[in-house]
Amino acid sequence: MDWSIQDIARIAGTTSRTLRHYDDIGLLKPSRTGHNGYRYYNQAALVQLQRILLLRGLGLGLPVISQVLDDEADATKALAGHLEWLKQEQDRLARQIASVTQTIEAVKGGGEIMAEDMFDGFDHTQYKDEVEERWGKDAYAKGDSWWRGMSADEKSAWKQRSRQLGADWITAATSGIAPDSAEAQAMAKRHVEWLTGIPGTPASDVAGEVNDGGKARLKAYVTGLGEMYVADARFAANYGGQDGAAFVRDALAFYAEQNL
Amino acid sequence: MDWSIQDIARIAGTTSRTLRHYDDIGLLKPSRTGHNGYRYYNQAALVQLQRILLLRGLGLGLPVISQVLDDEADATKALAGHLEWLKQEQDRLARQIASVTQTIEAVKGGGEIMAEDMFDGFDHTQYKDEVEERWGKDAYAKGDSWWRGMSADEKSAWKQRSRQLGADWITAATSGIAPDSAEAQAMAKRHVEWLTGIPGTPASDVAGEVNDGGKARLKAYVTGLGEMYVADARFAANYGGQDGAAFVRDALAFYAEQNL
DNA sequence: TCTTGACCTTGACGCTACGTCAACATTTAG
DNA sequence: CTAAATGTTGACGTAGCGTCAAGGTCAAGA
């Protein structure tokens, strides 16, 4: 007792094209082939097909499924590995949802997706409210006047330096080194020094102080900034996306913990 | 001031291949092209690139990004739509994780991914423990002896009937009709009648009774079974996967509510 | 000046899991 | 006997680039 290709397709809830595909890649061969080339499937093939569709429904890829069917012993292993991947995907999705949500808010408020001066320390036009709220009422005014006081060449040089810093971070993040490695910590040091060059932020304020209260504020500023890089997709974009930004955040956090 | 293709690739944290691709599909043209065909990008192009990478990092597709950049006014709309999609994906992932987890347990206990007699009412060999636990100590024994008592032809006919039912459910689920539609409810009726034909289950026990307690048990059995079809990927596979199984569950639930 | 090496160009294939024609042969129903 | 259903193989399309391949360009050192 066997069925034609359409028959099992209907029984199993799939299409004949899929069955031909599985035949092509050797995942499921028909149990019998007619003299005319027609594919026929028997009970055993149907069970195999059900298994395939079951595993596929769980999100496994066809090569993995093939391997699991060959050796059902490591089915548990394959499934466990897949489960890990699924959980990572879930985390990634959660972060993306948070990012999109926040970006919607930012775009609603700011108007543009990314301002031209984004990343140059912080945005001096789009981030007025946010800067005032997070770092104090006069922080924005200070930073703004400092920026406006620069000549075109100075601005250009500053931007160049900022971009270079970002590019180097990206290089570091994608090179596979750890956030607490010497190279990454050197980058963190450079980043903090760079921050210190921007008036109107806790970083620059602290530069002239020696008391501990100032150092505590700097530490909070640096770590907080790292979080913001990850949370705000517009900043994250400057570090090669969320993954790169996460690397920067981790490196900064470790640096702050050790040195500030 | 402009940069070569490698320069911005490094600054923005992407690759030159990606930039060529964006040029090919018209998403981001170089601001200038040398007599030798070299691509050069300026500040404005860099900002555009950052926007693109930002949106890409949020999970948007390139065509959508292109559209958003053309008209930033509906960026909010596009992002909101994308957010919906992301949430659906999150739900799907959550269901998959639950399914995989449960399948791992089942495989650990049962040994095989899907038994040959799966779907023939319930599995008479792999589901001993589960059947006993869920439907009573003697349910398994009853069902098993009933099954063993059948001749080969009878078994074959029964399997055929079971498969036909599953195939028809799949057809109904994929045809776009509602679970509470007349056609789906007719299927639900047929399903319950089919269940009644399996000894050792609450469904068959009730067939001979007239009291209300029996009807309540049948109702609980039918709705519970529907949930199990969705929760257990091995059953779900018989109804075309989780989506199909969900359709069956909904149809059964509605039928039980109205008629039992 | 010649060479070396780094960087640039335009194709074009590969990847996932099939959907979707196309062109043609065969089986089945009326 | 014909029309409709169903079967076959072959090949392109999909998303977003990675990855050769084969060959021009450019800056710097011997």
Side-chain angles (χ1 to χ4, degrees):
Chain A
M1 172 161 168
D2 49 11
W3 302 274
S4 76
I5 196 169
Q6 286 280 26
D7 289 339
I8 26 166
R10 265 192 293 264
I11 292 175
T14 183
T15 70
S16 60
R17 178 64 179 88
T18 297
L19 288 162
R20 276 196 291 272
H21 183 57
Y22 290 169
D23 188 5
D24 286 346
I25 65 175
L27 180 55
L28 181 68
K29 295 284 184 189
S31 54
R32 181 170 72 82
T33 306
H35 65 288
N36 46 16
Y38 282 26
R39 296 171 176 81
Y40 294 99
Y41 299 80
N42 62 12
Q43 169 83 15
L46 174 57
V47 173
Q48 275 295 83
L49 177 56
Q50 304 256 42
R51 287 183 183 162
I52 291 170
L53 296 178
L54 159 61
L55 293 172
R56 193 193 59 172
L58 297 179
L60 278 77
L62 299 190
V64 178
I65 292 178
S66 172
Q67 176 195 331
V68 168
L69 292 185
D70 279 352
D71 180 11
E72 289 212 5
D74 54 33
T76 305
K77 219 182 304 172
L79 286 172
H82 183 57
L83 189 57
E84 274 313 300
W85 149 263
L86 283 176
K87 284 179 177 170
Q88 285 184 13
E89 278 295 292
Q90 203 179 35
D91 284 356
R92 203 177 55 78
L93 267 186
R95 286 197 304 271
Q96 263 196 1
I97 287 177
S99 255
V100 171
T101 304
Q102 205 217 334
T103 303
I104 289 177
E105 291 308 312
V107 170
K108 268 185 187 168
E112 278 185 44
I113 294 186
M114 186 180 297
E116 211 169 305
D117 291 332
M118 171 72 63
F119 182 62
D120 301 334
F122 43 78
D123 187 317
H124 296 278
T125 57
Q126 299 295 325
Y127 279 83
K128 190 172 183 298
D129 293 347
E130 198 168 326
V131 166
E132 285 183 356
E133 184 186 335
R134 292 189 71 140
W135 313 119
K137 293 256 177 186
D138 57 11
Y140 173 74
K142 272 193 186 176
D144 196 47
S145 67
W146 159 77
W147 180 252
R148 289 182 191 282
M150 290 171 79
S151 72
D153 278 0
E154 284 172 331
K155 284 184 180 176
S156 176
W158 175 261
K159 284 185 181 178
Q160 179 56 36
R161 188 181 166 202
S162 303
R163 262 192 296 271
Q164 187 60 51
L165 183 65
D168 290 348
W169 268 121
I170 291 169
T171 302
T174 55
S175 72
I177 66 175
D180 58 356
S181 68
E183 293 90 337
Q185 287 304 298
M187 282 300 302
K189 184 165 187 291
R190 192 171 137 205
H191 195 96
V192 171
E193 289 168 355
W194 170 74
L195 284 174
T196 317
I198 307 173
T201 69
S204 66
D205 291 352
V206 170
E209 300 181 20
V210 199
N211 59 323
D212 285 351
K215 293 195 76 169
R217 274 225 320 289
L218 176 57
K219 185 173 174 180
Y221 177 64
V222 170
T223 55
L225 213 53
E227 296 295 346
M228 200 171 92
Y229 290 163
V230 177
D232 192 321
R234 290 166 300 172
F235 279 103
N238 293 305
Y239 301 102
Q242 284 187 350
D243 291 349
F247 180 85
V248 175
R249 177 199 57 192
D250 293 343
L252 286 180
F254 187 83
Y255 179 81
E257 195 58 44
Q258 299 287 315
N259 303 91
L260 302 180
Chain B
M1 170 158 167
D2 49 10
W3 302 275
S4 75
I5 196 169
Q6 287 279 25
D7 289 339
I8 27 164
R10 265 192 294 265
I11 292 176
T14 183
T15 70
S16 59
R17 178 65 180 89
T18 298
L19 288 162
R20 276 196 291 273
H21 184 58
Y22 290 169
D23 188 5
D24 286 346
I25 65 175
L27 180 55
L28 181 68
K29 295 285 184 187
S31 53
R32 181 170 72 83
T33 307
H35 65 289
N36 45 17
Y38 283 26
R39 294 172 177 81
Y40 295 99
Y41 299 80
N42 62 12
Q43 169 82 14
L46 174 57
V47 173
Q48 276 295 83
L49 177 57
Q50 303 256 42
R51 288 182 183 161
I52 291 170
L53 295 178
L54 159 60
L55 293 172
R56 194 193 60 172
L58 297 179
L60 279 78
L62 299 190
V64 178
I65 292 178
S66 172
Q67 176 194 331
V68 167
L69 293 184
D70 279 353
D71 180 11
E72 290 212 5
D74 56 32
T76 305
K77 218 183 303 173
L79 286 172
H82 183 56
L83 189 57
E84 275 312 300
W85 150 263
L86 283 176
K87 285 180 177 171
Q88 285 185 12
E89 278 296 292
Q90 204 179 34
D91 284 355
R92 201 177 55 77
L93 267 186
R95 286 197 304 270
Q96 263 196 2
I97 286 177
S99 255
V100 171
T101 304
Q102 205 217 334
T103 303
I104 288 177
E105 290 310 311
V107 170
K108 268 186 188 168
E112 278 184 44
I113 293 186
M114 186 180 297
E116 202 161 317
D117 291 333
M118 172 73 63
F119 182 61
D120 302 334
F122 45 78
D123 187 318
H124 295 277
T125 56
Q126 298 297 322
Y127 279 83
K128 191 172 183 298
D129 293 347
E130 197 168 328
V131 166
E132 285 183 355
E133 185 183 339
R134 294 188 69 142
W135 314 120
K137 292 256 177 189
D138 58 11
Y140 173 75
K142 271 193 186 177
D144 196 47
S145 68
W146 159 76
W147 180 251
R148 289 181 191 283
M150 289 171 80
S151 73
D153 278 1
E154 285 171 330
K155 282 184 180 177
S156 175
W158 175 261
K159 284 185 182 178
Q160 178 57 35
R161 188 179 166 204
S162 303
R163 262 193 294 273
Q164 187 61 50
L165 182 66
D168 291 348
W169 268 121
I170 291 169
T171 302
T174 54
S175 72
I177 66 176
D180 58 355
S181 67
E183 292 91 336
Q185 286 305 296
M187 283 298 304
K189 184 166 186 291
R190 191 171 138 206
H191 195 96
V192 171
E193 288 168 357
W194 169 75
L195 283 174
T196 316
I198 308 173
T201 69
S204 65
D205 292 351
V206 169
E209 301 179 17
V210 199
N211 58 327
D212 286 351
K215 293 194 74 169
R217 273 226 321 287
L218 177 56
K219 185 173 174 180
Y221 177 65
V222 170
T223 56
L225 214 52
E227 296 296 345
M228 200 171 92
Y229 291 161
V230 177
D232 192 319
R234 290 167 301 172
F235 278 103
N238 293 304
Y239 301 103
Q242 285 187 350
D243 291 349
F247 180 85
V248 176
R249 177 199 58 192
D250 293 343
L252 286 180
F254 186 82
Y255 179 82
E257 194 56 45
Q258 298 287 314
N259 303 91
L260 303 179

